[in-house]
Amino acid sequence: MPTNINLRGTLETDPIRNFRFLVTFEPTVPGDFGGGDFFKKTMGFTSVSGLAMSTESIPYRQGNYNTSVHQVPGQTSFSPVTMQRGVMLGSDQNWQWMKHLYSVDGSSGMGGPGTNFRVRVVIDVLSHPNPGSRATDGGGAAGSGFGSLAEGLAVQDDHVAMKFGLANAWISSLAYSDLSAGDNAVVVEQMTLVHEGMGLIMAKDFSKSPVNDDLKF
């Protein structure tokens, strides 16, 4: 029985997978959020949804163009983005972010006049299988220069297939999953972000990853 082989299937022709991604939050101005660095973080999330944008149409009619309605572009809006992740010890960055906008009492909030609560969000979609990934210190063997291979894996050089950017994003809602002694589940945190612009850049090949500065905001 002859075997049919798809000679056109290569790593370059494989669609980008949607399950390997990292999310980085960067204050728009270094030193924001009270001068601390608690929120310049790269995090893993279970899901990210709402990466969408739309432009409204403005119908326009004029006497010399009356066979159909002329459509011109109007304002562009960006959908809120929802992110979910499991709650881990010490992972209170989103709660701290929310406290810039809300306080339980008059003295527990972190925000104030002139406090910036907006950040740039960068979402890196990683290639899989990851071409050229290496857990090294820049040229040595796997784990070289680190206390363990796990430390090396934490800074491995992942290839970024595509990169989303959200401009002037801030947290608009934060929710936690229900607690139940009868469930076999983890505590999940869900937050919704609103933002004022979205960027997208893609890698041209597997030799180089796009960088954050390519987003231009």
Side-chain angles (χ1 to χ4, degrees):
M1 196 74 184
T3 301
N4 294 324
I5 300 176
N6 183 5
L7 299 179
R8 296 173 181 164
T10 64
L11 193 60
E12 286 77 9
T13 63
D14 290 340
I16 298 172
R17 280 71 159 180
N18 71 341
F19 54 81
R20 294 193 71 229
F21 56 92
L22 293 172
V23 183
T24 302
F25 300 84
E26 300 176 344
T28 54
V29 178
D32 279 350
F33 293 93
D37 61 352
F38 75 90
F39 207 72
K40 189 173 183 180
K41 300 290 184 180
T42 299
M43 305 180 188
F45 284 85
T46 303
S47 65
V48 175
S49 60
L51 296 170
M53 57 186 293
S54 62
T55 300
E56 297 180 7
S57 171
I58 302 174
Y60 176 70
R61 297 173 176 86
Q62 62 186 34
N64 64 337
Y65 192 78
N66 56 5
T67 58
S68 62
V69 178
H70 190 39
Q71 301 285 345
V72 296
Q75 291 184 328
T76 299
S77 60
F78 303 91
S79 300
V81 175
T82 300
M83 301 181 179
Q84 294 190 69
R85 66 169 181 166
V87 177
M88 293 172 285
L89 289 177
S91 60
D92 64 342
Q93 295 90 354
N94 297 333
W95 172 249
Q96 298 294 334
W97 192 9
M98 197 71 182
K99 287 181 66 175
H100 278 75
L101 307 171
Y102 161 80
S103 62
V104 178
D105 55 53
S107 60
S108 66
M110 297 176 59
T115 300
N116 192 5
F117 49 85
R118 294 178 173 87
V119 303
R120 178 175 73 165
V121 180
V122 179
I123 304 170
D124 290 332
V125 183
L126 308 178
S127 295
H128 177 78
N130 186 20
S133 176
R134 56 190 185 280
T136 72
D137 59 355
S144 175
F146 302 99
S148 65
L149 179 58
E151 293 181 20
L153 290 172
V155 294
Q156 63 182 326
D157 185 16
D158 288 299
H159 179 264
V160 178
M162 62 190 304
K163 185 184 293 284
F164 292 95
L166 308 179
N168 290 332
W170 54 275
I171 184 171
S172 62
S173 69
L174 182 65
Y176 294 90
S177 59
D178 296 337
L179 303 178
S180 173
D183 286 348
N184 182 30
V186 300
V187 178
V188 175
E189 178 185 69
Q190 176 179 291
M191 70 171 177
T192 299
L193 308 180
V194 293
H195 59 100
E196 300 173 358
M198 187 172 74
L200 170 64
I201 52 177
M202 301 185 67
K204 296 181 179 179
D205 51 42
F206 292 115
S207 63
K208 184 179 180 181
S209 296
V211 297
N212 291 357
D213 290 342
D214 294 335
L215 292 170
K216 306 300 183 184
F217 63 78

